[in-house]
DNA sequence: CGGAATCCTTCACGATACTG
DNA sequence: CAGTATCGTGAAGGATTCCG
């Protein structure tokens, strides 16, 4: 509990106006990396073990080769995965989660649990919003 | 622990090829919403209590009025925040986290802790990657 | 097989101006 | 004060083609 992002007490709100940004920046950097659609698929695929490029492409249905390459590059650059080339013919490239990559499981699972619990509520909220929106529109006439 | 996203055991890998997608979709939906830069700032700002539009704009330095509006709309649509209009002159609009919005604190804190622990490692990895990249480039000549 | 390079479309986002 | 409307730009991302 050394880095509590979520203070609620009132009197330190002014402090938060400065603190929040400092705390938020790394969170946002992480989120903007793992928050991309394909990144999550790649990580989840590799959680079960190393995989080749073509395996990943087949596994992650719908991804273009360009995006897979880019996603893997980014993940490698940040140290989430390793890239091992076996210079045979044809060549073979295996991707594997690093230990740091494995540690992402925790946060991802945390989000997954939240999503599993609340996806229904989100859907309800959207319906309510759409209905209210439609009524508001009808009112205008 | 009812929804473990991160199985590691080997023999159920084939099952994961199907399961992963089902599990991943809600995670990705949540991430693509809260993964946006401004969304995190807005949520973190509102964690300390309700706030007016102009307060949020002043607090979240660098956000354009357009993005703030759009972000607030999206969060409202999904049921993360409520919008309360007081039709005075000039008008007053307060935004507040719903209970569901408050519950996001957990996952966000989880990511925040991970980021705090690993931001240094990511920086190192990037440097290593840049160095290796430069060497690779030099090799080409 | 595992990419890189190119083209092209879409869209997120910022800047600006106007409104109830 | 709290927005909406419009325009312009850059980046994201798909489709396609070529390469070691």
């Amino acid at each position: 509990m050394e880095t509590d992002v979520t203070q609620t007490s009132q009197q330190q709100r002014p402090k938060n106006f400065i603190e929040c940004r400092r705390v938020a920046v790394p969170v946002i950097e992480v989120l903007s990396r793992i928050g991309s659609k394909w990144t999550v698929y790649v990580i989840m695929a590799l959680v079960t073990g190393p995989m080749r490029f073509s395996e990943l492409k087949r596994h992650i249905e719908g991804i273009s080769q360009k995006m897979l390459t880019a996603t893997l590059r980014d993940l490698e650059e940040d140290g989430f995965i390793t890239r091992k080339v076996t210079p045979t013919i044809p060549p073979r490239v295996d991707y594997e989660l690093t230990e740091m990559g494995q540690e992402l499981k925790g946060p991802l699972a945390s989000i997954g649990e939240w999503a599993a619990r609340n996806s229904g509520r989100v859907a309800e909220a959207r319906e309510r919003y759409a209905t209210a929106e439609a009524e508001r529109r009808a009112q205008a006439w």
Side-chain angles (χ1 to χ4, degrees), chain A:
Chain A
M1 288 300 145
E2 50 186 33
T3 53
D4 190 0
V5 192
T6 56
Q7 303 287 350
T8 337
S9 71
Q10 290 291 339
Q11 73 271 31
Q12 58 172 311
R13 188 156 166 178
K15 184 185 167 192
N16 268 336
F17 275 54
I18 299 158
E19 276 295 287
C20 262
R21 180 157 300 263
R22 195 181 62 75
V23 175
V25 168
V27 176
I28 287 160
E29 275 180 11
V30 173
L31 279 174
S32 62
R33 176 68 30 127
I34 69 167
S36 124
K37 179 181 176 182
W38 300 125
T39 306
V40 177
Y41 279 123
V42 169
I43 291 176
M44 290 182 71
L46 292 180
V47 163
T48 61
M51 223 179 270
R52 298 181 58 174
F53 186 88
S54 48
E55 285 183 285
L56 283 167
K57 180 140 172 46
R58 233 173 306 118
H59 180 195
I60 305 170
E61 193 184 342
I63 194 172
S64 67
Q65 137 274 120
K66 179 183 176 178
M67 285 318 295
L68 180 54
T69 303
T71 304
L72 290 169
R73 284 276 183 280
D74 289 341
L75 288 174
E76 188 197 358
E77 181 175 356
D78 284 2
F80 292 115
I81 65 175
T82 57
R83 180 172 183 269
K84 193 176 69 186
V85 183
T86 312
T88 55
I89 296 179
R92 173 195 179 102
V93 182
D94 290 271
Y95 293 93
E96 185 173 10
L97 281 184
T98 62
E99 200 216 315
M100 189 171 81
Q102 295 279 353
E103 287 174 18
L104 266 177
K105 286 192 292 185
L108 276 183
S110 175
I111 293 172
E113 284 166 26
W114 187 95
R117 276 200 312 273
N118 295 84
S119 60
R121 284 209 267 173
V122 171
E124 286 173 32
R126 283 187 190 170
E127 272 188 55
R128 266 198 309 280
Y129 188 87
T131 308
E133 181 85 350
E135 271 176 31
R136 198 183 55 72
R137 233 180 266 280
Q139 211 75 6
W141 288 104

